[in-house]
Amino acid sequence: MARGRGGRGGRRREDRQKAKQRQINRALKLSEINSKARYQQEEYLRRRQQAEKDALKKAQGESSQQSRPDKNDEASSSSSSESEDERQTAYDLLVTSLQSNRDQSSSEEISESEEEEEEEKDSVQEEEDDIESDEDIEEEEGDAEDVSTDNEEEEAIPEDQSTEEEKTLKGKKRKKEDDGQDGILEQRKIKKKLKATKEQEDREEQEKEGQWSSDGESEGDDLEEEKSTTGKDPFWHHLTTELQEDQVDKLGKQSNWTRKEAMWKGLGRLVHTFCTEVPNSSITVNKDSINKMNVKGLLCTNWIDVNGADSQKNAEEVKSSSDGEFTARQRELFSLMHGYKDLYYSERTHRNGEELRKLYCLHALNHVLKTRSVVTRHNTKLKLGAEVDPDSDEYQDQGLTRPKVLLVVPFREAALRTVHIITQLMRRPDGKPVEVMNKKRFQDEYSEIEHAPPKVPLPEDFEATFAGNIDDHFRIGLAVSRRNIRLYSPFYLSDIIIASPLGLRTVIGAEGEKDRDYDFLSSIEVLILDQADTYLMQNWEHIQHLMQHMHLQPKETHETDFSRVRIWYLNGWAKYYRQTLIFSSITSPEINAIFNKQCHNYSGKVQVSNPPTRGTICQVALQLPQVFRRVECSSFTQAADARFNFFVSQILPQIKDGNMQRTLFFIPSYFDFVRIRNFFRQEDITFAQICEYTTQANISRARQYFQQGDRPFLLFTERFHFFRRYRIKGIRSLVFYELPLFPHFYSELCNMLEAGGEEGVLDRTCTVLYTKYDAQRLAAVVGASRCGHMITSGKSVHMFVTGEQG
């Protein structure tokens, strides 16, 4: 602390020295100005005295000639008028010169002080303001003394040589000069005061009037651009459609929804669900160019460059497309997004991930900028004194809170890439990058963390998923305007919120906690869940908790102007206008439950559902016999108990009796893992265990024990495999207690089995347990046609050998 105080004291002394030097420089400049003024004044006095002497001599010479009184009068009058005109002209030039020089000096002082105030800290600014204020007063007093001295020289003329008119004129000139000095001081004070408070007043005014940005942006910037008709623009149509109470009642009941299937060239099979009571719910591919899709012009200009960047394959697909703007997949997906349909796309991969990210960033920015344009246009009308009809909803253009887009991503690296795409799409029309506030802080906190390179090559999807910063606890607000993007803006001053499920959960809190807040979720109009399959490996409960707190009544007003709030927000119908976009690499009952039960968009919802024709069993490289055993159960709630009982009574005794050493039990659910672990301990079965909570030392010890045969059994969870992807050596037998959530894990684990010895393929086995409620996972592994047969067949045991036709 002492070091910091010493440094600050040194800066203050240096600032005082600089201020004194500036005072000396200004004094020298004023001295030079005053010397020039004195020379002009002395020259003027000399000429005036000479003129008066000449006039006096002429008057004395002509007074003796009494016969020509008219000429004497004319000469005297002419001489007097010439003297007065000459004196007045010289005096005006002097005053004008002094006035202009002092105004210039004052303006230079003002500009210098402004630059210093912007660069210095608040504590240093206060001291400099005091020093400069005292110096300015001293300088102005010095200038006044100089002028008064000059005036005293003027008054040194003998009284008998000056007339009453000259005295009156001198008094007026002195008064005028004194008033000018006072005006300079007063003007300088006013300029300083206005300059110091202008920016703060602008910001306060913008926040008070509901401006979307506080960057000084003019309200009328987007008035010329916003000329879309409400009939063609899906944005206008979606937000201005007024639902009736009977329609809302029918939307709330799943029995009133109808399902239709459609086949599109790029996406394949689509399942379209909609309510027949709400019109205009059809789905079509929009084949227009992006400039004709009612997308903001700024985004249209930057889209082609952004879409073709960072991926050579994607760039080639864009160039090879018919329009050169979208890939075939992007055009069909954007047609659904832009039509404000809910979307569940379950074919996201590490190869098309960036392609999808660019697409939903384009849609989110278009929604935010259009919302902002509506608000700024209405603000302009109200400022100009437009009359507001209390029965009209023309000016109802806002929500209960400001955030309109919530983007949920699993890791900081995904947030970093998303913000990068947003800044690229917001590039200025002249090609220069948009101003990003707090950019350095964001890059420091979200940039890639250096990791030691892996000793062995890891799967490609793992490298793509866990690249960069994989911290899963973050949240950040973005305030977007056409001129800048402000990162780390408070949630209630943000347009877009990017967060992880854990980051949102810590803010939302739980019931009973004091410091919890979920009001910012009350007016979300676009919800995007990217990489939803990763949330299943993190904690799916966070997503469920988030959905339960969407569109609840705010606990506080947050300075909301309720006269500007849309009527469907006030009616509590926001969930029927929210668009939800879900991107995942798999289909699962958990994601289906969110999409089917908590997505109520009146525009309808579309799920891309292509049944797998070939399962991942085709990727098993070893010639391995794989036995699938069906577990009978009457309901989904009984499936867990039925599976455990079947495992204890049928599978485990066979493994013990067969003396099968080095068997790996793959258990997807952690709850099932704990249940089996406790059973093994009760039965005194020797085993090793590896789960997502196992320490690194215990992981190494368990792998060594299992490989060497000291522990015949190894309990292994799917979440550990998802996050670590270790290759387990020494596996002779593999038991899938339940099929993996990620189908490619099945082939990865099967390929870990060691090559057979003298007994060949017979010493390696793979056993899989499944129920009829595992149809989705089973279809992803063995294919849709085989899955249907295995679920409905009278046989409960099915065997496949890799390489044979099944």
Side-chain angles (χ1 to χ4, degrees), residues 793-806:
S793 174
K795 298 180 180 180
S796 61
V797 180
H798 303 271
M799 187 177 73
F800 300 92
V801 178
T802 308
E804 293 186 358
Q805 296 295 330

Side-chain angles (χ1 to χ4, degrees), residues 152-170:
E152 288 175 1
E153 292 179 2
E154 286 187 19
E155 293 175 357
I157 301 174
E159 290 292 336
D160 56 345
Q161 295 183 5
S162 61
T163 62
E164 293 296 332
E165 294 180 359
E166 291 175 350
K167 291 181 180 180
T168 303
L169 184 61
K170 291 176 185 177

Side-chain angles (χ1 to χ4, degrees), residues 209-341:
E209 295 175 358
Q211 289 287 331
W212 288 117
S213 64
S214 56
D215 60 350
E217 184 176 7
S218 174
E219 293 179 353
D221 285 348
D222 291 327
L223 293 181
E224 293 297 329
E225 183 180 351
E226 190 62 35
K227 293 182 179 180
S228 302
T229 59
T230 59
K232 295 181 179 180
D233 193 351
F235 169 84
W236 284 97
H237 181 268
H238 182 69
L239 296 183
T240 57
T241 298
E242 295 184 6
L243 298 176
Q244 304 300 322
E245 291 187 6
D246 58 339
Q247 292 177 328
V248 172
D249 294 338
K250 293 180 179 179
L251 284 170
K253 298 178 181 179
Q254 293 292 330
S255 59
N256 296 318
W257 290 71
T258 303
R259 292 167 59 92
K260 279 188 177 181
E261 293 187 6
M263 289 297 297
W264 284 11
K265 184 177 180 180
L267 297 179
R269 177 173 174 264
L270 305 181
V271 178
H272 180 207
T273 309
F274 60 95
C275 183
T276 56
E277 299 297 327
V278 180
N280 298 326
S281 58
S282 61
I283 56 173
T284 57
V285 180
N286 192 337
K287 298 182 179 180
D288 294 334
S289 65
I290 190 173
N291 294 314
K292 298 180 180 180
M293 288 185 179
N294 298 102
V295 177
K296 296 292 282 187
L298 180 66
L299 303 179
C300 295
T301 303
N302 298 324
W303 169 248
I304 297 178
D305 293 336
V306 173
N307 194 30
D310 303 328
S311 175
Q312 183 177 0
K313 181 179 179 181
N314 188 37
E316 292 175 355
E317 291 182 2
V318 173
K319 290 181 180 179
S320 62
S321 62
S322 58
D323 53 16
E325 296 176 343
F326 298 96
T327 64
R329 182 190 299 109
Q330 283 181 327
R331 175 162 293 281
E332 294 181 357
L333 286 175
F334 191 69
S335 299
L336 298 173
M337 292 183 193
H338 197 52
Y340 282 87
K341 302 287 190 296

Side-chain angles (χ1 to χ4, degrees), residues 726-738:
Y726 282 5
R727 180 175 178 82
I728 307 300
K729 298 180 180 181
I731 305 175
R732 292 296 180 87
S733 298
L734 182 62
V735 175
F736 285 92
Y737 183 80
E738 185 181 4

Side-chain angles (χ1 to χ4, degrees), residues 73-92:
D73 293 341
E74 289 177 3
S76 177
S77 176
S78 176
S79 174
S80 177
S81 62
E82 289 177 0
S83 177
E84 288 179 4
D85 293 339
E86 183 179 357
R87 179 169 62 250
Q88 185 173 358
T89 301
Y91 192 89
D92 291 340

Side-chain angles (χ1 to χ4, degrees), residues 60 121 200 294 359 494 500 522 571 646 719 738 764 791:
Q60 291 176 354
K121 294 184 178 179
Q200 183 66 24
N294 298 102
L359 203 61
S494 301
S500 65
S522 62
N571 291 337
F646 185 86
R719 290 182 67 187
E738 185 181 4
R764 294 171 298 174
I791 292 293

Side-chain angles (χ1 to χ4, degrees), residues 461 585-586 616 619 721 725 740 742-749:
D461 65 295
S585 64
I586 60 173
T616 57
Q619 300 173 4
H721 186 66
R725 299 292 179 91
F742 293 87
H744 61 280
F745 286 179
Y746 179 84
S747 59
E748 285 184 9
L749 290 168

